[in-house]
Amino acid sequence: MKITVKDAETGNRINMEVEEDNTVEEIIEEAANYWKKNPGAYVIRLGKKILQAELTVEEANLQDGDIIELIPDPEGG
Amino acid sequence: MIKIDEEIRKKYKIQPPPQNIIFEYGKEDIEKYMQEKGFIIESVHSINCLEEKIETVLQEELDFYIKEEACEKILEHCHSMALKGKEAMGFLIGDVKYWEGLYSIVYDIATASLDASPVYVRFRREAFEEIFDKLDEISYEYVMVGWYHSHLGYSSFMSSIDLDTQKKYFNQPFHAALVVDPITREMKAFRLIENECREIPYAIFK
Ligand SMILES: [Zn+2]
């Protein structure tokens, strides 16, 4: 199925083809590598929920056309 | 197997920057602006902050604009958290446009419950869903053009932890960091220019 990963920091998107047994982590890794980001540094958003990285596409109930968004997790001091 | 089909890059609208400027940093006094809005704190115990201060030089070129309502939300948030003795933080939500060069505009903010102390701030993990609700309300193709946070009486500057955040997430030429100190009555903006942290001017518009 086709899904989209959006980078909240730039508004850029990647359209990708994924399979039921791919994990969210693998998807994020692929997009993060493309954008040269650290995949572990982000909170993953699907609609109103945080998506757990260890879930597969099937377990996370990802649907064709879904948009996953990478949200920064800043720290200030 | 995962296969990347294509990257769709955000298209920057060609449009002149906001015209209805009500405050321009560098030309006007931010302390006066904050005071008029009532977002300063008269007296509190000063806090010793051991954070390393990153030295910055003020750039001349204006390419960062903040909508008045967004600015008031930022100042209000920093003020109310400071009254509790805590730092505030949130995302700057807006857009990037082009006119003789890239510039960024803050139209709104997104924030949520914080793990905050007088010298540290971070979103609570479970609070991110509050931010997602806010993002869902936005009708345009938003960009997180940066972040804001406050300091409690140890002045407005980028600390080493702030700079780490900037480098990790907000490292594009249009990204900014706003640092508000309601006690020393400062609001400064910073960005990375060629990987160096610089202070930048900003304008508030109606
Ligand atoms: Zn700071």
Side-chain angles (χ1 to χ4, degrees), chain A residues 2 6 8-19 21-23 26-27 30-31 34-35 37-38 41-52 69 71-77, chain B residues 1-10 12 51 87 89 91 119-123 125 128-129 132-133 135-136 141-144 147 149 151 154 159 161-162 165 168-170 172 174-175:
Chain A
K2 283 182 191 297
K6 181 187 171 190
E9 294 155 11
T10 60
N12 295 337
R13 292 158 187 255
I14 289 176
N15 293 335
M16 54 171 77
E17 187 82 40
V18 300
E19 286 168 7
D21 60 350
N22 287 132
T23 61
E26 289 167 345
I27 295 170
E30 195 76 21
Y34 186 91
W35 282 320
K37 291 174 182 290
N38 171 5
Y42 292 87
V43 175
I44 310 155
R45 171 192 185 212
L46 176 66
K48 292 189 184 299
K49 295 273 169 223
I50 294 178
L51 203 51
Q52 300 304 327
E69 189 173 12
I71 306 289
D73 185 7
E75 282 177 278
Chain B
M1 237 222 5
I2 299 172
K3 189 178 142 277
I4 291 182
D5 288 335
E6 58 178 338
E7 182 192 24
I8 300 166
R9 296 185 78 86
K10 163 90 180 166
Y12 304 128
E51 282 290 342
E87 288 193 2
M89 185 181 77
F91 290 122
V119 291
Y120 179 78
V121 66
R122 189 179 193 173
F123 292 121
R125 177 85 187 174
F128 271 92
E129 292 179 0
F132 301 167
D133 283 344
L135 296 177
D136 272 343
E141 283 290 319
Y142 63 82
V143 176
M144 284 186 180
W147 63 305
H149 76 291
H151 286 174
Y154 47 92
S159 69
I161 187 169
D162 302 339
T165 284
K168 201 169 176 186
Y169 301 114
F170 302 112
Q172 297 298 309
F174 53 80
H175 283 140

Side-chain angles (χ1 to χ4, degrees), chain B residues 34 39-41 78-79 82 150-151 180-186:
Chain B
M34 290 167 79
F39 295 130
I40 55 157
I41 294 176
C78 295
H79 179 258
S150 57
H151 286 174
V180 178
D181 192 324
I183 297 164
T184 62
R185 301 153 188 204
E186 293 170 292

